[in-house]
Amino acid sequence: MTIISNSPEETVEIGRHIGRHLIKGLNVFICGELGAGKTTLIKGAASAFGIPERDITSATYTLIAGYESQTPFYHIDLYRLDDIKSIEEVGVFDCIGNGKAAAVEWAEKLAGYAIGDIRVDIAYGESDRRIIKIEGIDEKDWDYSPAW
């Protein structure tokens, strides 16, 4: 399905809805250009776990940020990792699956090595708009009713 977000606030809300699906221990793999809104989407997803939005920042230097909740939640940013060996060495695969939930930025770097339960592609639209394509959530299960 494709959703148009008209603002960062709407992107957070879309992420929050995705996060409700992740609580089951699922993973979302997010792809998009630099600055497209990947971290903004993850702020919403994390809030579904009770994690304050302010605690989610670009993990570019941290690489993996783990948060305690009923289902452990990981924010993973692969931007600075160039090969699968580096990805393995930092422990990315330890944070994916086995009842843990993960939101992975720059997930295209995992192509051929891991598959996300949900895949999100974010692209720039006009002005502040973002075109958000979501795979892995059936439209009949997308009970999202935006407040705007």
Side-chain angles (χ1 to χ4, degrees):
M1 82 184 93
T2 299
I3 300 172
I4 303 297
S5 171
N6 294 300
S7 68
E9 294 78 19
E10 287 183 16
T11 301
V12 168
E13 286 300 318
I14 293 164
R16 186 171 289 121
H17 186 75
I18 292 170
R20 291 185 196 121
H21 291 270
L22 299 181
I23 289 174
K24 305 169 196 168
L26 301 178
N27 302 291
V28 60
F29 284 13
I30 307 167
C31 303
E33 294 178 51
L34 190 64
K38 295 179 294 295
T39 302
T40 301
L41 189 86
I42 292 172
K43 286 177 182 278
S47 71
F49 289 79
I51 301 163
E53 291 177 32
R54 70 179 178 277
D55 289 355
I56 303 297
T57 59
S58 180
T60 300
Y61 297 102
T62 306
L63 302 179
I64 300 174
Y67 302 89
E68 292 298 321
S69 63
Q70 187 173 354
T71 301
F73 179 80
Y74 293 89
H75 175 195
I76 302 169
D77 190 322
L78 302 178
Y79 181 72
R80 294 200 173 275
L81 300 176
D82 294 322
D83 55 56
I84 196 64
K85 183 177 179 187
S86 300
I87 290 169
E88 289 174 336
E89 287 174 355
V90 298
V92 168
F93 295 111
D94 295 333
C95 302
I96 298 173
N98 298 319
K100 302 171 203 153
V104 182
E105 295 189 49
W106 301 97
E108 55 272 26
K109 294 184 178 191
L110 292 176
Y113 298 99
I115 299 171
D117 300 294
I118 300 167
R119 179 184 167 103
V120 175
D121 289 286
I122 303 177
Y124 287 99
E126 297 176 11
S127 188
D128 283 341
R129 287 189 173 152
R130 298 296 187 264
I131 302 161
I132 301 173
K133 294 182 181 180
I134 303 169
E135 296 175 7
I137 299 175
D138 194 304
E139 285 193 55
K140 70 177 174 44
D141 297 326
W142 186 258
D143 56 359
Y144 176 66
S145 298
W148 53 88

